[in-house]
Amino acid sequence: MQSSSSRSLIQRVGPIISARIRYNSRLLSSTSSSAYVVKETSPSSSFTQDEEYVQLSDNCVKRMKQLQADEAKEKMLRLSIEAGGCSGFQYNFALEEKPNNDDRIFERDGVKLVVDTISLGFVKGATVDYVEELIRSGFQVAENPSAVGGCSCKSSFMVK
């Protein structure tokens, strides 16, 4: 019984600690001038994992352009990592209007993906895709070299 109560405590405290780490990281990097922007010139560009690059698939770019057509202001897709999910960490996607100081911005064909520096360590070299299935549609990380496994819904993962 103690193991289940300690697990539930870890599940409750994990997201709080993760959010606090992100907050502290933003405070520490607030002296930096602005977000760092990386542009991908073509879908076939070859970037290595060491370059800390996150790629956008054709479907991702297409869907973001559709979403931006309905908006008055340009939106960016934010990818962040949170503690939780069935495999330990989970991907979180959101639309935002402006980046934070500690963000890296990856751009392809005018579509921008924003990743904070802490989350970037978990998705370095990954590919973000947009998938339409019978039961759901949404953005997901299709390939992540930093992950060793995950759940079948591809919303959570385990790190190497």
Side-chain angles (χ1 to χ4, degrees):
M1 178 141 163
Q2 281 186 342
S3 66
S4 66
S5 66
S6 64
R7 262 189 229 168
S8 65
L9 176 64
I10 290 171
Q11 289 174 343
R12 289 187 312 225
V13 175
I16 295 168
I17 292 171
S18 177
R20 191 65 185 174
I21 290 171
R22 274 196 214 104
Y23 175 76
N24 288 341
S25 175
R26 286 185 183 125
L27 286 177
L28 291 172
S29 65
S30 65
T31 58
S32 65
S33 61
S34 66
Y36 181 70
V37 180
V38 178
K39 290 187 178 184
E40 180 179 357
T41 55
S42 71
S44 61
S45 297
S46 59
F47 290 92
T48 65
Q49 264 184 266
D50 297 332
E51 293 182 67
E52 296 186 349
Y53 193 80
V54 180
Q55 297 182 17
L56 302 170
S57 72
D58 292 338
N59 286 338
C60 179
V61 171
K62 180 181 172 184
R63 181 61 180 150
M64 278 300 296
K65 285 186 176 186
Q66 290 170 348
L67 292 172
Q68 288 176 356
D70 297 336
E71 297 288 330
K73 290 186 175 182
E74 180 182 319
K75 300 281 186 173
M76 296 177 285
L77 180 64
R78 174 172 294 281
L79 168 59
S80 60
I81 304 302
E82 296 177 351
C86 47
S87 298
F89 293 96
Q90 60 188 2
Y91 302 110
N92 185 25
F93 289 97
L95 295 177
E96 293 196 1
E97 292 181 7
K98 61 182 184 174
N100 297 320
N101 287 336
D102 70 331
D103 287 338
R104 293 279 304 269
I105 302 172
F106 303 97
E107 184 175 348
R108 178 175 165 206
D109 298 333
V111 172
K112 295 178 182 175
L113 172 73
V114 180
V115 183
D116 63 88
T117 54
I118 293 173
S119 298
L120 184 60
F122 293 100
V123 295
K124 178 173 62 171
T127 301
V128 176
D129 195 11
Y130 181 78
V131 179
E132 293 184 21
E133 299 171 342
L134 289 175
I135 58 172
R136 67 163 184 242
S137 60
F139 295 101
Q140 69 182 24
V141 176
E143 299 172 18
N144 185 356
S146 299
V148 292
C151 63
S152 61
C153 67
K154 295 190 177 184
S155 65
S156 69
F157 66 101
M158 293 179 287
V159 293
K160 288 183 180 176

